[in-house]
Amino acid sequence: INRCGVVISLAVFALVGVSCRHGATQGGTPADSVVVTGRLAGLGSGWVVVTRQDPSGAILRDSVRATRDSFSFRRRITDSVTLYELTVPGASGGGLRLFLAPGRVQVAGDRDSVDSARVEGSAPQNDYRDYVRLMLPLCRQKDSLNQAYLNVYGASGATLRAWDSASGRLDSLESEALARFLRAHPASVVAAWALRRSLAAPPDTATAAAMYGLLKGEALTNVYAAAVRSQLATARAMVPGKPAPAFRLPDTSGHPVSLASLRGSYVLIHFWASWYGPGRADDRAVAGALARYGDKGLRVGGVSLDSDRGAWKAAIRREHTGATELSDLKGWDSEVARRYGVLSLPANVLVDPRGLIVGCNLMAGHLEETLKELLK
């Protein structure tokens, strides 16, 4: 289930890699730096946390002390645009995405609603504001539909078809809205970021490729555009009839287990994580599938996107799906997740006895109907 909230997801929170600019100054600010000044009512002498992710994937955080609700910091922009997140520890609201270019930026808002603070002085931030205005109503509908999904999980027939129909209509509306945004901002780094963020696992290859074709100029020369190209290449390989990517991962005892060693009649590769609350419904579906079709040759390889061994093992004991549980404990940096194009949860891939992909993301009643047909 893809959530649409405005808090940054570290799976897509990355820098934009473009050439550096040095030397001259702009109104007293070095041409390769941004100065951010802000005032958040109720902040007092509290702290503001500034976060970004470097090209290696490391999350970099530092803190800025406020005085009388006001704060200021300078950051060197090593790329033409850098994405930051600004948060206030202990505040009830979420974080504020900041797309920053060299210059001066002003932030004004409230300590407990940082995510809706007003930002002035950043052209890419203006593009992001346009994106939020366009997508937020649809994202709220998506969140409501996702909650409804949890109520129908495991259903089949008319109930599942009704949810599928509503979900399909909303997906179409989101795609149309994103296409409008890309056409209005074809050269914006934010356009590449928005396209990267929209990709499901795996994405609709034809639609994503068409949207990528709308990008121009600087929107094509950053890590978001590069990630879209990589994801499209992965998606073209993750289709029925193609070989499932081979892998070898440690089990809970540290012993390596390969995809080939899991092969029975069919193998379901189930991507999950202990921290993903809505995934409990998927875990129950996996356990049910094994109970019904395990004696007919179904095997399940659970690939966890956890990074905490204790949390991973506790979740296995709690859910006890019966799957062969595997993880390199690298979270979203899992090489297997990347090779399978997994950008969000839930996700799964069904593989036949020859190692060929049967289907991707077979959820709820779809998984049951597929297994029932294949394992008669």
Side-chain angles (χ1 to χ4, degrees), residues 17-376:
V18 197
S19 61
C20 302
R21 293 184 287 178
H22 305 278
T25 62
Q26 301 173 355
T29 302
D32 63 352
S33 296
V34 61
V35 172
V36 178
T37 57
R39 181 176 178 82
L40 297 173
L43 181 60
S45 58
W47 293 91
V48 172
V49 176
V50 182
T51 307
R52 70 179 178 88
Q53 186 177 25
D54 74 9
S56 72
I59 304 300
L60 307 177
R61 295 183 179 88
D62 55 32
S63 301
V64 178
R65 171 70 85 175
T67 302
R68 297 177 183 175
D69 294 346
S70 298
F71 62 92
S72 178
F73 61 88
R74 173 181 288 182
R75 294 293 180 272
R76 182 168 175 264
I77 302 296
T78 56
D79 313 289
S80 64
V81 177
T82 300
L83 173 58
Y84 288 85
E85 183 188 29
L86 190 151
T87 58
V88 174
S92 58
L96 172 67
R97 283 195 185 103
L98 287 173
F99 287 89
L100 300 179
R104 292 182 175 275
V105 173
Q106 298 80 45
V107 176
D110 186 88
R111 173 190 181 277
D112 289 319
S113 55
V114 181
D115 54 348
S116 60
R118 185 174 68 256
V119 181
E120 297 179 351
S122 169
Q125 190 72 17
N126 293 339
D127 295 342
Y128 174 65
R129 185 183 301 120
D130 290 345
Y131 170 81
V132 171
R133 287 171 178 164
L134 184 65
M135 302 300 295
L136 188 57
L138 295 173
C139 285
R140 287 171 174 162
Q141 292 181 51
K142 174 73 78 173
D143 284 346
S144 296
L145 191 60
N146 286 342
Q147 289 301 311
Y149 169 83
L150 298 179
N151 296 329
V152 303
Y153 199 97
S156 59
T159 300
L160 182 61
R161 287 194 294 273
W163 187 91
D164 277 344
S165 178
S167 180
R169 287 194 299 271
L170 188 52
D171 286 345
S172 295
L173 290 174
E174 287 184 313
S175 292
E176 292 169 4
L178 178 59
R180 289 199 301 273
F181 177 78
L182 300 184
R183 292 189 186 98
H185 304 276
S188 173
V189 169
V190 179
W193 169 86
L195 179 56
R196 172 66 174 85
R197 186 172 185 265
S198 74
L199 298 182
D204 178 334
T205 308
T207 300
M211 289 190 180
Y212 179 81
L214 299 174
L215 302 182
K216 299 177 182 178
E218 190 177 11
L220 293 170
T221 58
N222 55 76
V223 294
Y224 304 120
V228 171
R229 291 190 291 270
S230 176
Q231 184 67 12
L232 287 174
T234 299
R236 293 185 180 105
M238 293 298 298
V239 295
K242 294 281 189 177
F247 63 79
R248 184 182 296 270
L249 283 173
D251 63 14
T252 54
S253 298
H255 301 303
V257 176
S258 67
L259 173 60
S261 70
L262 289 173
R263 288 184 190 164
S265 178
Y266 286 84
V267 180
L268 180 69
I269 305 169
H270 170 56
F271 292 91
W272 69 285
S274 66
W275 42 260
Y276 181 61
R280 303 294 80 79
D282 300 282
D283 297 337
R284 291 192 294 272
V286 167
L290 271 174
R292 288 185 291 276
Y293 301 105
D295 60 351
K296 297 182 179 180
L298 177 67
R299 302 286 299 280
V300 176
V303 177
S304 170
L305 301 186
D306 275 286
S307 56
D308 184 307
R309 180 177 295 276
W312 175 45
K313 287 190 172 183
I316 292 171
R317 290 192 297 269
R318 183 175 62 248
E319 302 303 330
H320 191 60
T321 64
T324 300
E325 297 294 355
L326 311 168
S327 182
D328 56 13
L329 296 176
K330 294 182 179 179
W332 282 111
D333 289 328
S334 165
E335 178 63 27
V336 176
R338 283 199 293 267
R339 295 187 68 186
Y340 277 74
V342 175
L343 299 177
S344 62
L345 296 177
N348 65 42
V349 177
L350 184 62
V351 181
D352 75 8
R354 297 170 296 169
L356 303 180
I357 295 170
V358 175
C360 298
N361 299 327
L362 301 168
M363 303 300 170
H366 294 300
L367 176 61
E368 174 68 23
E369 291 169 3
T370 301
L371 292 174
K372 185 176 181 179
E373 177 64 25
L374 293 172
L375 299 172
K376 295 178 180 178

